[in-house]
Amino acid sequence: MGEEKLAPDPYVLLMKDQKLICRTQCLNPPAELPQCWSLSDIVPRARVHILGDLPHCFLSPAPESSRDRSEWGRFLTYLQKKDSVGIAKVKSSQFYILPPDKDSNFSHVQVAYRVEKTCSGSDGQEHCVDNGFPSDRFQGSIENHHGGNTATETCRRHQPLAVKQVPPLKKNYAQAHPSYLETLGQVHYAWIFGAIAELVDNSRDAEATRMDISIEEIYSKRAGKEIPMLSVIDDGHGMTHEEVEKMVCFGHKKPEVDDPDYIGRFGVGFKTGAMRLGRDALVITQTNDSRSIAFLSQSLNEGKDNLEIPIVSYRRKGQYMEVDTSVQLEALAKYNLKVIKDFSPFDKYLIGAKAGLFRENNTGTQIYIWNLDEWGSQYCLEWDRGLTGGSSFHKGDIMIRSRRLRSRPGQISKKVCLDYSLRSYLEVIFLVPRIRIYLQGSLVKSRPLAKYLNQTSEVSGNIIGKRVHLTLGRSQLEFEHANCGIFLYWHGRLIEAYKRVGGMIHNGDWGRGVIGVIDVTDLMNEGNGRVGVLNTKQSFLDCEPYAQLEAWLGEKADEYWTDNFEKLKLKKGGSLYKPDHEWVQCDKCRKWRMLSSGFDVKTLPEEWFCYMDPFNGLCEMQEQKVDRGVITVSAKRTRQDIKDVEDDAMINSDANSDGESNQTQKDDKRDVNEVEEGTAKGL
């Protein structure tokens, strides 16, 4: 007689309250196996006394999605903690899902079952088999069931029972073609710094205190030469395997609570940001107990029909990290690691060196991006390390090669540094800067705008029943660059800069030098996880709150200009010129301290604390506020800036003095030259 071929293990859908828990496979199944088990009850194991007398089979998870895998773990965790049994009744059959052992990794679960079935014996008569066996022959132990001569096995020797095969449940899941990665990158094609901002947001959400952004050369064996690689490294809390999977998947559930300290909302920031900057990205992240490596790559997936994203995860064992077999097979981990080495500049030594940056028990995330986006024969980004020797005169920067200014209605300025200088953008990216950002190896001196304004005015209002608060003031530096507008922050992060409102849109000189700062987090929260912000996080939706906000901002900005500057005439008496104040942030308490007018902040050390000169105070002291001034000018300028101010003085004199003499204009220019020399004096 030929050897009997065993059929593949059948699938079982495990349900509760008409909701799918997980698709599973049944190992060593009974003869008749229902396709769907719906749990009717979950009771303490002590209340079920017949389990030892029943045969057993096993269920192992066969999830079709990460959601199934998660629900499987939650279900077994509940049974384990409550020491309970899940009961499923299907027609005349009953299945008892036993709680896993304490050391179980949930790879399978034991199931006792009672199945009523009739089969033919050797005498040709039908015998009723309850629980899958005649009661006078079964001894009740699982060892007998697997290795003993049970009645079920006797029946199968005389007349084998065909196992009813249940085909896999097929659902219409969306596949992601590799070309979708390039499509995601187009989200930030209008402004590449929006892609870097996505990575900065993730670090802030991870509660990082330090972040390093740099571009350096690295050798690529695939390219056969040195190539530039962008790195973004933080000391946040890192990500677990499940969180890494969530980061590289396409979208996830939006948070139900609008946490004002959390920026992430749409589940696409990392993908859109990384794929805009380059074709390939590697993530190395570490928590207190785990480390994961994820590879999002267009190069790897080129020519494939579906997207492959290798992930390798480790868990801490003593002082070492070992492959975490509870989330992936060891063979799969080895395969994924080989793929990463073959398609990236990272070999095992470089990966080990980068992992060493975490040091013992330190957490954080490292993102490396290469095959950077190109601009003709060059790259879209250009970079330099700045001057050596610790000088603060010229620090390294990452620039947009095109130097294009972003389009804003009514803008006449030709100099908006934050549009093409990453250092300038990072200086004002956060409303309350608490994270220390290093760019190209040197610290970015954050600049909270509200503290850098003079003649400030605080304005509150009510828009569609929500409170808003606006700070308006004048900046001489922005006046010289012909800039003005409102800086709008959401969750403490800059969304729009230099937004012209009111008369600023229609008149180039109206509002010149006037800057507003406002946080619109509450106003743009529509509830149920919906927000009035585009997923690029660089502009707002065209919605009712935003439309009313624009109108309100225009009204308040026009009132501020009319009350403070419209009637002002720049002539010899009545106006006070004085330098802008300099501000410095303590590297311990992170509070901002105002320094005396004319103080050269370039003389300060790289790390500065409240007790140092020229503040000589304590961290416990409250932050200062700017007194209301009149008009301020910068204490020092380049010769080109002075020429611009001279031209502006002549224009303002013609416009506001109704044809005053040329002698008055010469006086104004002489006074400006005196200010250049550091003399603050009344005209």
Side-chain angles (χ1 to χ4, degrees), residues 401-669:
R401 186 173 297 278
S402 66
R403 300 294 200 281
R404 291 178 62 247
L405 301 184
R406 303 183 71 187
S407 176
R408 299 177 181 89
Q411 178 171 298
I412 63 173
S413 173
K414 299 296 183 182
K415 189 171 184 179
V416 186
C417 296
L418 66 78
D419 282 355
Y420 52 82
S421 166
L422 183 58
R423 182 172 291 273
S424 297
Y425 177 50
L426 294 177
E427 286 178 354
V428 297
I429 190 172
F430 292 127
L431 182 63
V432 181
R434 298 302 183 195
I435 180 174
R436 293 163 57 87
I437 302 178
Y438 287 78
L439 181 63
Q440 293 296 93
S442 60
L443 179 65
V444 175
K445 290 294 185 181
S446 300
R447 187 161 56 95
L449 286 176
K451 297 181 180 297
Y452 278 76
L453 301 176
N454 283 279
Q455 201 159 351
T456 55
S457 176
E458 305 288 335
V459 185
S460 296
N462 192 293
I463 300 177
I464 62 171
K466 296 182 179 179
R467 198 75 173 162
V468 291
H469 184 81
L470 170 67
T471 300
L472 286 165
R474 187 181 186 278
S475 167
Q476 181 66 24
L477 181 62
E478 302 295 358
F479 177 85
E480 294 167 10
H481 293 164
N483 286 327
C484 64
I486 311 298
F487 283 67
L488 294 95
Y489 289 82
W490 175 76
H491 286 265
R493 207 270 252 171
L494 181 63
I495 303 297
E496 286 193 61
Y498 298 110
K499 178 177 179 60
R500 286 178 171 250
V501 294
M504 300 176 185
I505 299 176
H506 311 291
N507 187 328
D509 282 329
W510 183 275
R512 180 169 176 170
V514 174
I515 296 296
V517 181
I518 186 172
D519 188 285
V520 295
T521 302
D522 293 336
L523 180 63
M524 288 300 152
N525 180 18
E526 300 180 22
N528 298 324
R530 297 180 56 189
V531 293
V533 180
L534 292 176
N535 61 359
T536 61
K537 287 183 268 188
Q538 297 300 326
S539 55
F540 295 92
L541 296 174
D542 184 16
C543 55
E544 181 186 5
Y546 188 60
Q548 293 198 25
L549 174 66
E550 283 184 313
W552 184 82
L553 290 173
E555 176 186 344
K556 298 306 176 184
D558 288 350
E559 289 178 0
Y560 176 80
W561 178 258
T562 301
D563 294 342
N564 293 276
F565 300 108
E566 185 183 29
K567 299 177 182 179
L568 179 65
K569 295 183 178 181
L570 299 180
K571 51 187 180 181
K572 195 164 185 179
S575 297
L576 175 65
Y577 287 78
K578 63 180 180 180
D580 282 336
H581 290 288
E582 293 285 3
W583 290 82
V584 64
Q585 187 181 33
C586 174
D587 287 314
K588 179 180 179 182
C589 66
R590 311 301 292 162
K591 294 178 182 176
W592 287 89
R593 305 305 186 185
M594 183 173 64
L595 307 182
S596 58
S597 300
F599 186 86
D600 188 0
V601 294
K602 295 177 182 177
T603 63
L604 295 176
E606 186 72 16
E607 288 190 339
W608 184 89
F609 304 97
C610 291
Y611 66 83
M612 293 182 175
D613 292 333
F615 185 69
N616 299 319
L618 300 174
C619 289
E620 290 74 16
M621 298 174 63
Q622 293 184 349
E623 289 184 325
Q624 298 149 290
K625 294 184 178 180
V626 180
D627 294 332
R628 289 177 58 87
V630 182
I631 299 178
T632 63
V633 294
S634 298
K636 295 185 179 181
R637 302 184 182 83
T638 63
R639 292 305 307 175
Q640 180 60 40
D641 288 338
I642 288 298
K643 183 179 182 302
D644 294 340
V645 175
E646 291 174 352
D647 295 339
D648 294 338
M650 294 177 67
I651 294 172
N652 288 333
S653 178
D654 291 339
N656 296 322
S657 301
D658 298 325
E660 290 188 4
S661 65
N662 291 334
Q663 183 61 41
T664 303
Q665 298 176 14
K666 293 178 180 178
D667 292 340
D668 290 339
K669 289 193 287 183

Side-chain angles (χ1 to χ4, degrees), residues 63-212:
E64 294 183 292
S65 66
S66 59
R67 177 263 174 203
D68 287 3
R69 185 182 298 107
S70 175
E71 289 298 316
W72 170 262
R74 292 179 58 189
F75 170 64
L76 294 191
T77 299
Y78 180 84
L79 294 185
Q80 189 181 73
K81 291 177 62 176
K82 301 294 184 180
D83 194 26
S84 298
V85 176
I87 302 176
K89 298 180 180 179
V90 185
K91 296 182 179 178
S92 59
S93 303
Q94 295 186 26
F95 300 88
Y96 303 88
I97 303 176
L98 308 183
D101 297 329
K102 292 184 178 180
D103 298 329
S104 172
N105 59 5
F106 297 166
S107 61
H108 65 277
V109 66
Q110 195 174 25
V111 180
Y113 62 87
R114 180 199 300 270
V115 178
E116 291 186 0
K117 173 72 181 174
T118 58
C119 63
S120 299
S122 57
D123 57 359
Q125 302 294 322
E126 286 190 348
H127 300 272
C128 179
V129 182
D130 190 13
N131 303 331
F133 55 89
S135 58
D136 61 338
R137 296 194 56 183
F138 185 71
Q139 301 301 316
S141 67
I142 192 169
E143 290 77 14
N144 279 346
H145 178 67
H146 286 293
N149 188 19
T150 65
T152 304
E153 293 172 343
T154 303
C155 291
R156 287 177 179 171
R157 281 198 299 270
H158 292 352
Q159 186 173 343
L161 296 175
V163 177
K164 181 180 179 181
Q165 294 302 308
V166 181
L169 182 66
K170 294 184 178 180
K171 300 180 181 179
N172 293 325
Y173 287 109
Q175 287 187 328
H177 192 273
S179 62
Y180 187 53
L181 293 180
E182 184 178 355
T183 303
L184 285 174
Q186 295 176 359
V187 170
H188 293 288
Y189 258 120
W191 196 49
I192 196 170
F193 283 171
I196 296 180
E198 296 283 5
L199 307 183
V200 176
D201 292 344
N202 291 343
S203 293
R204 202 199 80 161
D205 287 346
E207 301 178 352
T209 61
R210 172 170 175 151
M211 185 178 188
D212 291 81

Side-chain angles (χ1 to χ4, degrees), residues 269-286:
F270 167 73
K271 280 81 67 178
T272 60
M275 293 298 100
R276 171 65 178 96
L277 294 164
R279 288 174 50 84
D280 305 282
L282 184 74
V283 180
I284 306 176
T285 183
Q286 179 168 303

Side-chain angles (χ1 to χ4, degrees), residues 10-15 22-24 32-38 90 95 164-170:
Y11 289 96
V12 173
L13 295 180
L14 193 59
M15 312 281 290
C22 182
R23 189 184 71 159
T24 66
E32 296 291 336
L33 185 69
Q35 178 181 356
C36 179
W37 297 1
S38 182
V90 185
F95 300 88
K164 181 180 179 181
Q165 294 302 308
V166 181
L169 182 66
K170 294 184 178 180

